[in-house]
Amino acid sequence: FACLLSLLLSTQAIAARAVMPSLIPLPANMQRLPGEFKLAADTPIIAGDARAREAAGYFTGYVARTRGIRLESRSTSRRHAITFAIDLAASANPEGYRLEVTPNGVTVMAPDARGLFYGAVTLAQLVDIGTSPTARMPSVRIEDAPRFPWRGLMLDSARHMQSVNDIKQLLDAMALHKLNTFHWHLTDDQGWRIEIPGYPKLTEIGGCRIPAGDTGIDPLTGRPKPYCGYYTQAQIRDIIRYAAQRHITVVPEIDIPGHAQAAVAAYPTLGNVTGPTHVSAEWGVHPYLFNADEDTFHFLESVLSEVIALFPGQYVHLGGDEAVKHQWQQSPRIQARMRELGIHSEAELQGYFVRRLGKFLHAHGRRLIGWDEILETELPADATVMSWRGIQGAVDAVRKGHDVVMSPSSDLYFDYLQTTSADEPPGRPATIGLQQVYAFEPMPPALSVSDSRHILGLQANVWTEHMRTFARVEHAVFPRIAAVAETGWTPKDRKDYAGFLSRLPAQLQRYRALGIDYAQTPFAVAVEAVPVGDRMARVTLSSPLSLGEIHYTTDGRTPTPASPRYRTPLALRMPVRLRTTAFADGVPLADPVTRRLDAASFLQRNDEALAMCSQGLMLRLEDDGPPTGTRAIYNVDIFNPCWQWTDAPLRGIAAVEVHAGRIPYLFQLDKDEVNRKFHPASTSSGELEIHAGCDGALLARVPLPPAPAADGFITLPAPLPEHADVQTLCLFFTGDTRPTMWVIDNVRLIPSGSHAAAERN
């Protein structure tokens, strides 16, 4: 009896310790059961009606794509089968479901097609990733429903467009994460992307811009080369239909009254200034506004009528953000119109726009949603606010009785970079890392329990100023969207960042199986090397997310789990080619990082390794050429372009060699224009200056050429005074940064007595 009891307790302990499935988002309730279900090509799929067949179709399509197993979904056999069924008792939430996997069969039940679809998504994630002809799913019992009804992602297609297939791929990925709202930003200063047949110039003119710099010139003809594109109504219907099949609602955004430059370029009578207007090729806050004429409102209502006919969803987004009022303030016609309407301020005029168009939407069975600036005046009662400038806008909106979607730029703007890695693409280097996204709590603590019902959920935003390729969109979105998904779906008390990280490697495998080009930088090993004399280097390796085991090689081979494992800092003899990768369960989390270390490598810094001299506005910017292919990327403070090398090893150094490029200055700064600084030039083309500290003595001054060389770069040797004893170098270029600015690519210290130093002296 004692032996049997011991065996029973041991079996129960093993079951309790059974590995829980790595699901994202984490279900509300999940219980691990003994055993597993084996899935093969002859596994019957039972789906009784159209809703069940839709869910089954998602599951079988996922299995075919990721595992190469093609399942028969029309079978009626119930032996060892997977069954999808509508059951009104399965959940009180239409997006909820109940799922059970046992060795003998699988059932997925939900009260609605939405819940059944999400049950199919969970079931798909239970399938192991591999190549065997039989897949396995752990036995589980899950009862699940989302925390919030709005779980969204916004894509900016106005600055840079994405193809229809790209957007469908993004919708597929949203479905994998149980996201249900696709906010589509279709109009802005840089482009009008939606076809409106009654106003063809919106896309013929407003859909095209001439990029600044070399990109805007055809290298063969020397003529302007426009960046053009828009979505036809047929394409939009196709995307909406594709999204609906994944239970994703598409919310279109037509921005008013600001961000209107593309529309005004197409139809100048819509604006407030005389003379031609072009579609902007710059980023930032622009001054163009719609005017308040009746003809303009007729135009806007005509556009919204087309939008309503195209998009069946409840919401239409009217923007309302960053509407700089200068043009209205300076326009006699607008001032007269305000007096006619009995409006006393330009802010009230914006409120008039929002209320009037909100009433138009309401009359046509739609609801207005806008950025939190729309709170500055009275809103229609059914207006919804998207809070992007922080949390206070959400609190103010709720206390006025409005629903809110949480989307603060501080935590959910995915054009901010994920890490400080030199391999990050262009964007805003102020980082929003995975842990910060996961930690965001959508429910403001200032709200009462009764008020909290107005918080619909959360949304991440992808602004594409710096994302000219879809690969960059994917880099920005993944894996951070997994954190958004878990916050939107999983109960607050079930969230756990450590648990999320432990489940993330399995999600990365799904990304790879689905062809999702997720960001490598959060998983790539960081290498920090310090010279020890002339022949040795002390190397510290780390994982940005502290995830997985780090393995390395020093012979140029690709690391494997059998390669030496990193545990403590390495002492390596130079020269050496170090390669390193982090692994989880034997699977690499990212591509290998390669670093060549020799004495010369410690005498050079690229721009990513240099600090900015001041805390202005640093951006990670792409060069304007070549027209196609890879371009250089630069870190630069556009308010004060000055680079700093702290603790530069200057003993025995005769000169500094600077490799620099030149890019267009592409920014509308509005009120921040006063923060832009530059050092006056002494000559017509300006100079490179190197100082001993940013407020220190001048060490070197080198004249700049009128233009870069044919490859777009210049190399500037700058001799240093003998016996220089400073340890910090500050480098900047004199002259105004407009219309073009010099930027540092890399800096190299030239030792005394070297051939290069002799040539340059």
Side-chain angles (χ1 to χ4, degrees), residues 457-613:
L458 75 165
Q459 175 177 292
N461 295 330
V462 182
W463 301 105
T464 62
E465 287 97 330
H466 307 292
M467 301 180 198
R468 66 181 174 94
T469 65
F470 185 65
R472 289 183 181 168
V473 172
E474 290 187 296
H475 178 102
V477 171
F478 305 100
R480 289 184 292 190
I481 201 63
V484 173
E486 186 137 308
T487 298
W489 185 279
T490 305
K492 181 181 179 181
D493 60 1
R494 289 269 288 160
K495 284 187 62 183
D496 170 60
Y497 182 64
F500 172 78
L501 277 187
S502 71
R503 288 177 277 119
L504 190 57
Q507 191 77 341
L508 300 185
Q509 290 191 58
R510 297 179 192 115
Y511 290 166
R512 287 191 286 269
L514 293 169
I516 296 173
D517 192 10
Y518 67 90
Q520 300 271 305
T521 49
F523 310 99
V525 175
V527 179
E528 182 179 349
V530 178
V532 181
D534 294 333
R535 298 184 179 181
M536 299 293 293
R538 181 180 176 85
V539 180
T540 303
L541 306 180
S542 61
S543 169
L545 295 177
S546 300
L547 186 62
E549 296 179 353
I550 297 174
H551 293 263
Y552 67 93
T553 65
T554 57
D555 57 6
R557 297 181 183 179
T558 300
T560 70
S563 302
R565 180 182 175 185
Y566 175 81
R567 299 179 186 276
T568 60
L570 308 174
L572 300 179
R573 180 174 294 276
M574 299 188 291
V576 63
R577 187 167 179 246
L578 176 68
R579 304 192 75 193
T580 181
T581 308
F583 294 84
D585 297 325
V587 178
L589 298 175
D591 296 335
V593 171
T594 302
R595 180 85 177 267
R596 178 172 175 80
L597 300 174
D598 55 28
S601 67
F602 294 102
L603 296 180
Q604 57 187 335
R605 294 276 179 95
N606 59 22
D607 56 293
E608 291 90 352
L610 298 172
M612 299 294 106
C613 296

Side-chain angles (χ1 to χ4, degrees), residues 221-538:
T221 65
R223 296 175 181 173
K225 183 181 179 182
Y227 177 97
C228 297
Y230 65 92
Y231 302 97
T232 67
Q233 292 204 356
Q235 289 174 320
I236 290 171
R237 290 190 184 95
D238 182 31
I239 288 170
I240 292 169
R241 182 169 51 250
Y242 194 87
Q245 291 169 352
R246 288 144 185 81
H247 297 278
I248 296 170
T249 299
V250 183
V251 176
E253 181 177 355
I254 307 297
D255 216 337
I256 61 96
H259 289 286
Q261 189 166 338
V264 172
Y267 293 98
T269 58
L270 299 173
N272 303 277
V273 296
T274 59
T277 298
H278 63 276
V279 180
S280 179
E282 297 185 324
W283 317 129
V285 181
H286 292 55
Y288 280 85
L289 304 167
F290 289 109
N291 64 43
D293 295 348
E294 282 302 313
D295 287 347
T296 297
F297 279 105
H298 174 74
F299 162 82
L300 292 171
E301 290 171 357
S302 297
V303 168
L304 291 178
S305 294
E306 294 283 348
V307 169
I308 290 166
L310 279 171
F311 295 86
Q314 180 182 15
Y315 290 96
V316 175
H317 204 298
L318 293 186
D321 62 312
E322 298 178 330
V324 181
K325 308 300 192 294
H326 302 329
Q327 289 185 352
W328 282 352
Q329 292 165 350
Q330 296 165 6
S331 168
R333 184 173 63 173
I334 285 292
Q335 295 302 312
R337 179 66 167 151
M338 288 168 56
R339 290 191 293 271
E340 177 186 333
L341 295 171
I343 290 174
H344 300 95
S345 72
E346 289 75 20
E348 290 180 24
L349 181 58
Q350 176 167 341
Y352 175 79
F353 266 81
V354 173
R355 288 190 299 275
R356 178 164 172 171
L357 296 177
K359 289 178 182 178
F360 178 85
L361 292 174
H362 181 81
H364 290 79
R366 298 292 191 271
R367 288 184 65 180
L368 154 71
I369 184 170
W371 303 108
D372 56 41
E373 285 95 330
I374 66 174
L375 278 168
E376 293 171 5
T377 59
E378 183 182 352
L379 289 176
D382 65 347
T384 298
V385 174
M386 191 165 278
S387 186
W388 76 277
R389 294 181 298 176
I391 303 300
Q392 191 57 45
V395 174
D396 294 343
V398 167
R399 288 174 176 168
K400 292 180 179 180
H402 298 290
D403 289 343
V404 170
V405 175
M406 302 300 296
S407 191
S409 61
S410 57
D411 299 278
L412 298 180
Y413 268 37
F414 283 0
D415 51 325
Y416 287 81
L417 301 182
Q418 304 190 51
T419 71
T420 58
S421 168
D423 294 323
E424 288 284 352
R428 305 188 197 188
T431 57
I432 297 180
L434 186 67
Q435 184 171 7
Q436 182 178 345
V437 176
Y438 192 86
F440 173 70
E441 168 52 42
M443 197 65 68
L447 296 182
S448 66
V449 174
S450 61
D451 284 340
S452 64
R453 62 186 172 85
H454 283 293
I455 302 297
L456 301 181
L458 75 165
Q459 175 177 292
N461 295 330
V462 182
W463 301 105
T464 62
E465 287 97 330
H466 307 292
M467 301 180 198
R468 66 181 174 94
T469 65
F470 185 65
R472 289 183 181 168
V473 172
E474 290 187 296
H475 178 102
V477 171
F478 305 100
R480 289 184 292 190
I481 201 63
V484 173
E486 186 137 308
T487 298
W489 185 279
T490 305
K492 181 181 179 181
D493 60 1
R494 289 269 288 160
K495 284 187 62 183
D496 170 60
Y497 182 64
F500 172 78
L501 277 187
S502 71
R503 288 177 277 119
L504 190 57
Q507 191 77 341
L508 300 185
Q509 290 191 58
R510 297 179 192 115
Y511 290 166
R512 287 191 286 269
L514 293 169
I516 296 173
D517 192 10
Y518 67 90
Q520 300 271 305
T521 49
F523 310 99
V525 175
V527 179
E528 182 179 349
V530 178
V532 181
D534 294 333
R535 298 184 179 181
M536 299 293 293
R538 181 180 176 85

Side-chain angles (χ1 to χ4, degrees), residues 18-23 30-39 99-106 122-129 135-142 510:
V19 176
M20 296 297 282
S22 295
L23 303 178
M30 177 167 59
Q31 180 184 357
R32 184 72 161 87
L33 304 176
E36 62 184 14
F37 179 84
K38 296 180 180 179
L39 177 71
L99 183 156
E100 185 169 274
V101 178
T102 72
N104 298 317
V106 177
T122 298
L123 188 64
Q125 288 195 13
L126 288 171
V127 177
D128 65 339
I129 298 295
R136 301 171 185 274
M137 291 186 285
S139 295
V140 292
R141 182 179 295 118
I142 295 173
R510 297 179 192 115

Side-chain angles (χ1 to χ4, degrees), residues 153-173:
L153 176 67
M154 187 222 76
L155 178 64
D156 170 15
S157 293
R159 274 56 176 256
H160 282 102
M161 281 191 65
Q162 304 79 34
S163 72
V164 170
N165 286 337
D166 288 341
I167 292 175
K168 287 181 176 180
Q169 184 171 333
L170 191 62
L171 292 168
D172 284 338

Side-chain angles (χ1 to χ4, degrees), residues 179-193:
L179 301 177
N180 65 358
T181 306
F182 176 57
H183 173 179
W184 200 4
H185 187 80
L186 289 165
T187 72
D188 216 296
D189 299 299
Q190 296 82 10
W192 184 284
R193 306 296 178 204

